[in-house]
Amino acid sequence: MQTKKPLVVGIGGTLRADSSTERVLRHCLASAERLGADTKLFCGDDLDLPMYNPYGTLRTAKATALVAGLRAADAVVVASPGYHGAVSGLVKNALDYAEDLRADGRTYLADIRWGAIACAYGWQAAVGTLGQLRTIGHALRAWPTPLGVAINSATATWGPDGSIQDESVIGQIDCLAAQLLDQSTDTV
């Protein structure tokens, strides 16, 4: 008998393709795949959505796909840049579409694992943004993982090819992926 793989949905990044936030999110999803998950990524242009209107009934194809992804998710990982010490408007607007899940059998994201990653040019914005992402997860009735990852992009995190070169960051992202799948790890 074949069992269904857990689905980890990743949301985040910026409208700039291959942003540092998107790269970290992709690394996390790749790690989840190595651990046996299926993944779905919503980033960049996928998040170029109209402002969420809870009173409107029309949804774009992108918004419908995002809501369907959240509805099917067994775990969600959200990565946001820290803009002015806060979650980016792009990411927050995408997360507002979770309101469309309010009348589902599983209200919002009730009882699923929620991972949070924040990237900013400095620790203050990274840590503040991470706290906001964890609060949003709680508000959506999800269970934030024990580990949230704050990345200071001002440090030597990236290699010349854009890959993560900081072993500590790699370990944290891999640990977060394991926690999304409820697999113990002591790599941090």
Side-chain angles (χ1 to χ4, degrees), residues 5-6 8 23-39 164 167 169-178 181 183 187:
K5 291 181 175 183
V8 178
R23 281 184 265 148
V24 170
L25 182 57
R26 285 183 184 278
H27 182 99
C28 186
L29 292 178
S31 183
E33 287 176 357
R34 286 190 298 276
L35 294 170
D38 285 330
T39 63
I164 304 170
E167 291 297 323
V169 171
I170 291 169
Q172 290 176 58
I173 296 297
D174 291 346
C175 180
L176 176 61
L181 299 170
Q183 297 181 13
T187 60

Side-chain angles (χ1 to χ4, degrees), residues 62-75:
K62 290 179 194 178
T64 300
L66 174 63
V67 171
L70 289 171
R71 187 170 277 126
D74 297 300

Side-chain angles (χ1 to χ4, degrees), residues 107-134:
T107 307
Y108 301 118
L109 300 171
D111 300 324
I112 71 167
R113 290 176 199 88
W114 174 274
I117 303 169
C119 296
Y121 202 78
W123 286 115
Q124 184 174 356
V127 172
T129 302
L130 179 62
Q132 292 170 357
L133 288 172
R134 294 175 68 81

Side-chain angles (χ1 to χ4, degrees), residues 3 37 60 77 83 106 110 130 137:
T3 59
T60 64
V77 59
Y83 288 166
R106 176 183 77 185
L130 179 62

